[in-house]
Amino acid sequence: MTDGIAGGTAAAPIAVAVLVVLFSVEDGALGVHLLPAGAGRWRLPGRRLAAEEDLEEAAAEVLAEVFGAEATHLEQLYTFGAAGRGDGVREVAVAYFALAPVGSAPARPGRRFAVDGLPPLAGDHAEVVALAVERLRAKIHYSTLGLRFLPRPFTLRELQEVFEAVLGEPLDKRNFRKRMLAIGCIEDTGRRVRQGNHRPARLYRARHGDRVEIVR
């Protein structure tokens, strides 16, 4: 008896890698962190796994290497394994996406690019980024994922700016605030902050900031 799957043709060597799509919100736009790949192209942070490594631990290590500070979210996205993927050895890549808190220090090395202005990307990395953006934009509608960009207290205006950056479109102020308050995912801290010449704004925080919840 074996632990594997029997039958079929002889298995070819396969390498397993992890890729990390690190999202950030800056200057009103959703961005992603990339590393130079040579020949004018860029790539996502990632590497191949050693035989004894755990997938999520490897992804967390890759994230720590480029970001340093702990990201507020790390989630498995999809597995990419088209025939011909890899250099010399067929490679299967398990992609993750992560969120950098608003106002955090820039990731290093590499640089940030807005998702609507990406440079040429290596291999299938453009497909990986596109799927990650699609997942993030979909999930922000039915979960508290968007709050993970703001682990510190925030105003409703700041929260709306994050959602608009992620979705890439303006939102109606009244409807947005009504929904955020109605679904009960945020709570008033009892504090206020003055922004410009406007009257002091209430500061809110995620009701359950340590996890992502599904909302209706």
Side-chain angles (χ1 to χ4, degrees):
M1 185 173 181
T2 66
D3 294 328
I5 299 176
T9 58
I14 296 178
V16 179
V18 292
L19 296 172
V20 177
V21 182
L22 175 59
F23 287 119
S24 59
V25 171
E26 185 178 316
D27 298 327
L30 180 66
V32 64
H33 186 74
L34 299 173
L35 302 175
R41 297 185 302 169
W42 293 75
R43 67 175 180 86
L44 291 166
R47 63 172 172 80
R48 289 180 176 175
L49 272 68
E52 70 282 0
E53 280 191 291
D54 175 82
L55 278 169
E56 190 158 333
E57 289 178 358
E61 287 183 6
V62 169
L63 181 59
E65 288 171 3
V66 297
F67 188 43
E70 186 174 347
T72 59
H73 188 75
L74 180 64
E75 177 179 326
Q76 190 173 126
L77 174 66
Y78 195 73
T79 300
F80 296 83
R85 193 183 196 286
D87 184 13
V89 175
R90 182 172 182 181
E91 181 181 275
V92 172
V94 181
Y96 289 76
F97 73 91
L99 308 183
V102 170
S104 57
R108 293 288 186 271
R111 57 171 289 195
R112 176 187 183 276
F113 290 88
V115 296
D116 60 356
L118 295 176
L121 300 183
D124 57 3
H125 290 201
E127 180 185 355
V128 178
V129 173
L131 185 60
V133 171
E134 181 182 337
R135 171 77 64 84
L136 176 62
R137 286 177 171 168
K139 200 165 183 178
I140 203 173
H141 283 295
Y142 64 83
S143 77
T144 59
L145 182 59
L147 297 176
R148 303 289 278 167
F149 280 108
L150 291 165
R152 58 170 176 77
F154 51 83
T155 65
L156 290 177
R157 178 182 177 182
E158 289 173 328
L159 182 60
Q160 182 172 339
E161 288 173 349
V162 166
F163 273 66
E164 289 178 336
V166 171
L167 296 172
E169 61 185 18
L171 299 172
D172 180 80
K173 176 180 176 180
R174 181 179 178 183
N175 289 339
F176 176 80
R177 295 187 175 201
K178 182 179 179 180
R179 171 169 167 73
M180 288 296 106
L181 295 173
I183 60 180
C185 62
I186 61 175
E187 59 186 9
D188 193 337
T189 66
R191 296 158 51 198
R192 286 172 169 74
V193 62
R194 183 176 294 278
Q195 297 177 320
N197 295 323
H198 302 285
R199 66 180 181 179
R202 294 176 184 270
L203 283 173
Y204 292 84
R205 62 180 168 232
R207 190 176 296 275
H208 301 292
D210 60 337
R211 61 182 183 269
V212 174
E213 297 180 309
I214 303 301
V215 296
R216 302 298 180 188

